[in-house]
């Protein structure tokens, strides 16, 4: 039975969430560790990854077959039992990912590599090709499987599921997620 979605934060609560962090959702035996770029202010205000209305992570996760039903962000704790985890390249919440400096992304990439090395998921899925290029100095990276590893873990770059990423519609995102799932 789905849990009750948490209440929506007020505009003041969202505005006050700048700089906050959300705990990683990790554990042993993960098939995929999904890494967002960084939490939105909305996510930081709720304490749930990919919580902002309009973010397509949860629908893409379900439509690609990773979850048996579409989970609400407040149900994120169900993911490890499915072999899935969530983290971010940069832990600090911002209104937009373009507020992050290249230095923050590079430093966050080092932290992400250590996290991947510690938990050893089957795949690390970075959601955002531009952030991946910057964080790991891979200027020519494209969406899909990468030739290198991060923390010894194979990497698959997925499109950023933010509603601000108009290049990828939900069906496109689900296809990209499904390609990772098939691997």
């Amino acid at each position: 039975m789905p849990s009750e979605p948490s209440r929506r934060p007020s505009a003041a609560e969202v505005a006050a969430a700048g700089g906050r962090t959300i705990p990683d959702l990790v554990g042993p035996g993960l098939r995929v560790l999904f890494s967002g770029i960084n939490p939105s202010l909305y996510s930081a205000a709720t304490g749930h990854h990919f919580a902002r209305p309009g973010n397509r992570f949860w629908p893409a996760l379900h439509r690609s077959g990773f979850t048996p039903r579409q989970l609400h962000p407040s149900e994120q704790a169900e993911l490890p039992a499915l072999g899935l985890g969530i983290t971010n390249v940069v832990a600090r919440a911002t209104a937009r990912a373009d507020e992050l400096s290249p230095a923050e992304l590079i430093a966050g990439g080092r932290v992400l590599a250590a996290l991947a090395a510690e938990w050893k998921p089957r795949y690390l899925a970075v959601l955002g090709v531009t952030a991946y290029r910057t964080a790991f100095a891979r200027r020519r990276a494209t969406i899909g499987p990468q030739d290198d590893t991060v923390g010894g873990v194979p990497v698959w770059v997925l499109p950023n599921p933010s509603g601000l990423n108009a290049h990828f519609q939900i069906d496109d995102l689900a296809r990209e997620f499904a390609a990772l799932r098939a691997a």
Side-chain angles (χ1 to χ4, degrees):
M1 184 97 176
S3 66
E4 278 298 307
S6 54
R7 74 168 181 80
R8 288 182 168 232
S10 69
E13 289 169 321
V14 170
R20 286 193 195 154
T21 62
I22 302 173
D24 293 329
L25 190 63
V26 294
L30 296 179
R31 293 182 297 146
V32 180
L33 176 58
F34 291 96
S35 178
I37 299 167
N38 75 309
S40 69
L41 297 179
Y42 194 98
S43 287
T46 65
H48 304 302
H49 294 275
F50 302 105
R52 185 172 181 75
N55 190 297
R56 288 115 12 122
F57 175 79
W58 298 101
L61 203 63
H62 172 61
R63 289 186 188 189
S64 64
F66 274 112
T67 59
R69 65 179 174 78
Q70 185 172 321
L71 300 175
H72 184 271
S74 64
E75 299 175 295
Q76 67 185 21
E78 294 183 26
L79 291 180
L82 299 171
L84 307 173
I86 304 176
T87 188
N88 288 286
V89 176
V90 174
R92 177 177 74 91
T94 61
R96 296 175 50 103
D98 63 8
E99 295 175 33
L100 302 172
S101 71
E104 279 182 287
L105 288 165
I106 292 165
R110 288 191 294 269
V111 172
L112 181 56
L115 189 70
E118 177 183 354
W119 291 106
K120 299 181 184 3
R122 197 172 306 155
Y123 278 99
L124 172 63
V126 179
L127 292 100
V129 69
T130 303
Y132 176 76
R133 288 174 181 157
T134 303
F136 299 102
R138 305 290 194 265
R139 291 189 347 223
R140 292 185 174 86
T142 60
I143 300 294
Q146 305 303 301
D147 292 332
D148 58 343
T149 63
V150 168
V153 174
V155 177
W156 198 289
V157 175
L158 291 169
N160 182 345
S162 167
L164 299 175
N165 181 5
H167 295 10
F168 285 87
Q169 298 304 310
I170 185 61
D171 290 337
D172 303 318
L173 286 169
R175 268 192 298 280
E176 295 295 340
F177 276 57
L180 168 60
R181 184 175 165 267

